[in-house]
Amino acid sequence: MIDSAKKVCVLSAGTLRSDIYLNYDFAVPMKEMEVKLTNYTRKIGGSVFNTSKFIGNYSSNIDVTFCTLNHISLIAELANDSLSGNINISAIGNPINSYPMSIIGLDNIGEKRMISVETYSPPLYLDSDNPNYYLSDIFYTSFYEINNDNLESICSLCTAFLSRNKYTMIDLCPLIDSLDNDIIVKVLKCISVLSGNEQEYNKLLNKIGISGKKQLFESFPNIKHIFIKRGSDGAVLLSSDGKEYIQKSFKSNDLVAKNTTGCGDIFNAAVIIGLLYRWSPEKILSEAVKESAIIAERGLL
């Protein structure tokens, strides 16, 4: 996928979590639970981490610095994991012994549902005065990671990236409509690349009172690219110059999704790689849809 030997750098910020995946019969959710729990997979995850890991594994010419809370046990596991990718983990704050965990059920066609989830995590603060951050060519995070406590630090960092003509990218999340309007608006003012699925965009637009996606360019002039993930229907890219690009899915008729977990995270990873290596919009969209389709078939686990 990489067209150049140019060295590029990515700065990302997200929360690590422990995810447990198990086969689950949602029609009879409590049936033979002791059997189901013997067939589970545990992984260290988190949306931004999944994206960062893919990028770090993709090319030795991409350096990734992943900023996260200092969950010492999870970070120790990653240090011993040869598959964790070419990532420099930057632990922020005092050591924390506990960490968030999700239990996720998978049905027989790979669809997932949350059985139990812990969503609270202490705020992740980033020091916008850290000069090492600005060695990176793009800053990436998710609305999952932003709240009233760390809003100013995140926005200060994003504004500094924009002033240096660098990318700032954020992923929408299913909880976007639970955030305060002020948080959403302040963040969008300092973002150049936006990514999310149709449902998340609908929630976003309803929340901030905007009628359509293209109007985001008028309301937030720093936004240059809007990526819309459409699952099995592919994806769309809207650009601030008025152009629209459509990519159909690469899914074959006989392909069965093994597990859709992480497809959107890998889509974002391919977008970031494409932006950094200045691919054409058509190629960025094509590679992002293709990589996420591979994950749907193969599974991220």
Side-chain angles (χ1 to χ4, degrees):
M1 189 188 289
I2 294 293
D3 295 334
S4 171
K6 174 188 174 185
K7 195 77 171 181
V8 293
C9 301
V10 176
L11 178 69
S12 60
T15 303
L16 288 173
R17 59 189 313 113
S18 179
D19 292 334
I20 295 176
Y21 297 87
L22 56 127
N23 297 329
Y24 201 80
D25 181 359
F26 291 102
V28 190
M30 295 305 294
K31 182 181 179 182
E32 297 177 352
M33 178 59 75
E34 70 281 0
V35 175
K36 293 168 189 170
L37 287 176
T38 65
N39 298 298
Y40 71 90
T41 302
R42 177 184 174 275
K43 65 183 285 287
I44 298 176
S47 176
V48 177
F49 174 72
N50 292 337
T51 300
S52 303
K53 179 179 177 179
F54 182 92
I55 297 170
N57 276 326
Y58 199 82
S59 171
S60 59
N61 289 321
I62 305 178
D63 288 334
V64 181
T65 297
F66 174 68
C67 300
T68 191
L69 294 170
N70 194 5
H71 294 296
I72 52 178
S73 59
L74 295 184
I75 291 173
E77 281 190 57
L78 290 176
N80 295 321
D81 181 4
S82 61
L83 299 178
S84 62
N86 180 31
I87 304 177
N88 171 38
I89 303 245
S90 177
I92 307 295
N94 296 324
I96 304 173
N97 290 315
S98 62
Y99 51 82
M101 176 181 290
S102 300
I103 301 177
I104 302 164
L106 302 174
D107 64 19
N108 58 1
I109 62 170
E111 291 297 321
K112 62 181 180 178
R113 298 188 201 176
M114 288 291 183
I115 299 173
S116 177
V117 61
E118 172 56 59
T119 59
Y120 174 75
S121 187
L124 177 61
Y125 295 100
L126 297 178
D127 181 7
S128 60
D129 293 326
N130 186 338
N132 293 326
Y133 288 165
Y134 304 110
L135 299 175
S136 296
D137 302 286
I138 186 170
F139 172 67
Y140 172 71
T141 191
S142 167
F143 268 108
Y144 268 127
E145 312 300 337
I146 301 176
N147 53 48
N148 280 311
D149 293 322
N150 65 7
L151 174 64
E152 294 304 324
S153 71
I154 297 290
C155 288
S156 294
L157 184 70
C158 288
T159 300
F161 262 75
L162 290 178
S163 70
R164 292 166 168 79
N165 295 316
K166 298 174 184 285
Y167 291 108
T168 56
M169 178 173 170
I170 196 163
D171 186 59
L172 301 179
C173 70
L175 302 179
I176 185 69
D177 55 346
S178 68
L179 294 174
D180 292 341
N181 273 31
D182 287 347
I183 292 179
I184 297 173
V185 169
K186 286 181 179 179
V187 171
L188 292 179
K189 286 180 178 179
C190 52
I191 292 296
S192 59
V193 184
L194 197 58
S195 181
N197 61 40
E198 288 282 12
Q199 185 179 22
E200 291 164 348
Y201 276 108
N202 289 337
K203 289 181 179 181
L204 170 69
L205 297 176
N206 288 334
K207 183 74 174 181
I208 61 178
I210 289 180
S211 59
K213 301 180 192 73
K214 292 182 179 180
Q215 194 177 338
L216 288 167
F217 293 123
E218 301 174 11
S219 301
F220 305 98
N222 282 320
I223 297 179
K224 305 303 179 186
H225 308 287
I226 294 175
F227 289 89
I228 306 153
K229 296 173 276 193
R230 290 182 169 175
S232 60
D233 292 325
V236 174
L237 165 59
L238 305 178
S239 295
S240 59
D241 60 6
K243 294 180 180 179
E244 179 175 335
Y245 306 87
I246 299 173
Q247 175 62 58
K248 295 182 179 179
S249 175
F250 287 94
K251 179 178 177 180
S252 61
N253 292 332
D254 57 350
L255 185 151
V256 177
K258 177 181 178 182
N259 181 355
T260 57
T261 300
C263 291
D265 303 334
I266 302 312
F267 179 98
N268 290 342
V271 166
I272 290 170
I273 294 169
L275 289 171
L276 294 179
Y277 282 94
R278 300 185 182 280
W279 293 343
S280 68
E282 294 89 348
K283 182 173 183 178
I284 292 177
L285 205 57
S286 172
E287 294 291 347
V289 170
K290 180 172 70 175
E291 292 294 344
S292 58
I294 290 172
I295 295 300
E297 180 178 13
R298 186 184 67 199
L300 185 64
L301 305 180

